[in-house]
């Protein structure tokens, strides 16, 4: 919604419409109540003599540091329409990458939940039917069959829920506590970069977000150190965040960016090489833009590859669970048939 509103604002200013009128039109037409309120208040502030960047600073929950820095640079350089257009494209790009990652995770999550529902239904309604048959036969049950029957009995008893609900709440609170600790978060992010399934997707999405943000800020005239500080906040992986923090210190000491990134094993060689070429030729913004385009395409490819791999794996996952239950339930029947024979 913010990307759409920003693009509309840029288009209206380009056509010659005054900034104040453009803000009022967006505040009247936007479907998002937060954006409608924010743009209306910004318009009121500008009508009283404030600058747009000053008004944006009052709403950090709507306009993040990246947005505010771009607008401030655009106002200073007198290039607000082109800066807003760049900001809209940046927001769309970041939203696209987030959407691609969510789509990659949604399929296995949905299948896992579906499997859980199927297993619970079988435990509650299907297995009891077989239990009645086995009780009448009086034949001994295999271990796996007895194990599933015991689970079914537990799920159908009230005592189980009196124990399970408090235990589940306690487990959730413990999980929430440990998952918020910095050491656990660091281990989690590091593990994601070591697993073959997640390594490529996490690396490419982080580099795509970082490159696109850094390119937009640097092209708008935001100083490189400030651009790095803001672009770092788009990185969701702490390993990459720490690398940029180290690079920031190296650049402050006078070293070029590519040398600061050169010794990091998780940074691809091509990424570092493009930074080196950009710095040596004086076309850093153009090179970073090309990197952003490349890694956004790579994220799309990785998502499609991951989805194509996950689909058969999840089908096997469902088949194994349901198959184990069916085999466990039919094993006693085979024993009974042999006994009758």
């Amino acid at each position: 919604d913010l990307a759409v509103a920003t693009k509309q604002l840029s288009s209206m200013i380009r056509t010659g419409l005054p900034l104040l009128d453009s803000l009022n039109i967006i505040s009247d037409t936007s479907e998002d109540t937060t954006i409608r309120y924010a743009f209306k208040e910004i318009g009121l502030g500008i009508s009283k003599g404030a600058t747009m960047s000053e008004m944006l600073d009052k709403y950090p929950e709507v306009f993040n540091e990246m947005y505010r820095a771009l607008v401030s640079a655009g106002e200073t350089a007198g290039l607000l329409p082109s800066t807003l257009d760049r900001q809209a494209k940046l927001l769309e790009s970041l939203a696209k990458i987030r959407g691609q990652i969510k789509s990659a995770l949604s399929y296995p999550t949905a299948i896992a939940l579906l499997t859980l529902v199927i297993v619970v239904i079988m435990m509650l309604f299907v297995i009891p039917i077989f239990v009645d048959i086995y009780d009448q036969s009086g034949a001994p049950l295999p271990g796996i069959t007895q194990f599933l029957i015991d689970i079914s009995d537990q799920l159908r008893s009230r005592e189980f829920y009196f124990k399970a609900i408090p235990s589940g709440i306690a487990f959730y609170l413990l999980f929430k506590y440990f998952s918020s600790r910095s050491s656990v978060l660091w281990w989690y992010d590091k593990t994601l970069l070591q697993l073959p399934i997640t390594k490529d997707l996490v690396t490419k999405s982080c580099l795509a977000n970082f490159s696109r943000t850094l390119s937009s800020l640097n092209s708008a005239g935001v100083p490189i150190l400030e651009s790095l500080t803001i672009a770092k906040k788009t990185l969701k992986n702490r390993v990459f965040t720490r690398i940029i923090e180290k690079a920031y210190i190296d650049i402050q000491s006078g070293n070029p960016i590519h040398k600061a990134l050169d010794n990091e094993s998780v940074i691809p060689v091509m990424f570092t090489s493009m930074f080196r070429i950009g710095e040596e030729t004086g076309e850093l913004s153009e090179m970073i833009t090309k990197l952003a385009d490349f890694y956004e395409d790579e994220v799309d490819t990785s998502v499609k590859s991951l989805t194509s791999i996950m689909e058969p794996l999840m089908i096997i996952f469902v088949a194994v669970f349901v198959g184990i239950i069916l085999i466990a339930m039919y094993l006693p029947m085979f024993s009974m048939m042999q006994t009758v024979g």
Side-chain angles (χ1 to χ4, degrees), residues 125-181:
F125 302 106
V126 178
I127 290 179
I129 297 172
F130 285 88
V131 172
D132 294 337
I133 298 172
Y134 301 149
D135 287 343
Q136 293 173 9
S137 69
L141 299 176
I144 188 171
T145 306
Q146 188 60 55
F147 175 70
L148 290 179
I149 290 173
D150 292 340
I151 294 177
S152 177
D153 291 339
Q154 286 289 325
L155 288 174
R156 289 184 295 120
S157 67
R158 290 183 179 179
E159 290 79 8
F160 169 77
Y161 294 100
F162 286 132
K163 297 176 184 177
I165 292 174
S167 300
I169 294 172
F171 177 79
Y172 170 75
L173 293 174
L174 281 173
F175 173 79
K176 195 172 181 181
Y177 169 73
F178 283 108
S179 63
S180 62
R181 296 177 67 86

Side-chain angles (χ1 to χ4, degrees), residues 187-298:
W187 171 84
Y188 175 75
D189 287 343
K190 193 174 180 181
T191 303
L192 287 177
L193 293 175
Q194 294 172 343
L195 294 175
I197 295 178
T198 58
K199 179 181 177 181
D200 275 355
L201 183 59
V202 172
T203 299
K204 290 170 182 176
S205 62
C206 283
L207 294 180
N209 285 341
F210 177 76
S211 301
R212 182 63 69 194
T213 308
L214 186 63
S215 169
S216 298
L217 292 166
N218 194 244
S219 299
V222 179
I224 188 63
L225 288 175
E226 185 181 349
S227 299
L228 280 173
T229 302
I230 298 170
K232 180 188 69 176
K233 295 178 181 179
T234 64
L235 296 169
K236 302 302 179 184
N237 189 286
R238 286 160 182 80
V239 175
F240 283 103
T241 302
R242 187 168 293 184
I243 288 171
I244 300 304
E245 288 171 352
K246 288 168 62 179
Y248 184 94
I249 295 171
D250 287 347
I251 294 166
Q252 275 187 319
S253 303
N255 295 322
I257 300 175
H258 72 271
K259 284 191 176 180
L261 302 175
D262 205 22
N263 298 323
E264 303 295 342
S265 58
V266 296
I267 302 291
V269 176
M270 191 198 77
F271 189 85
T272 308
S273 299
M274 291 288 277
F275 264 90
R276 179 177 60 80
I277 294 168
E279 287 180 304
E280 290 176 355
T281 59
E283 298 181 352
L284 184 60
S285 296
E286 290 80 359
M287 287 298 174
I288 302 174
T289 301
K290 290 177 181 177
L291 277 173
D293 293 336
F294 172 77
Y295 279 109
E296 283 173 6
D297 291 339
E298 285 292 296

Side-chain angles (χ1 to χ4, degrees), residues 33-63:
T33 54
T34 304
I35 291 175
R36 195 160 57 231
Y37 173 79
F39 274 80
K40 184 177 181 180
E41 291 299 309
I42 291 168
L44 288 173
I46 291 174
S47 66
K48 295 177 181 177
T51 63
M52 186 174 180
S53 56
E54 288 173 348
M55 292 305 300
L56 292 180
D57 289 337
K58 296 183 178 181
Y59 303 97
E61 68 281 358
V62 180
F63 308 99

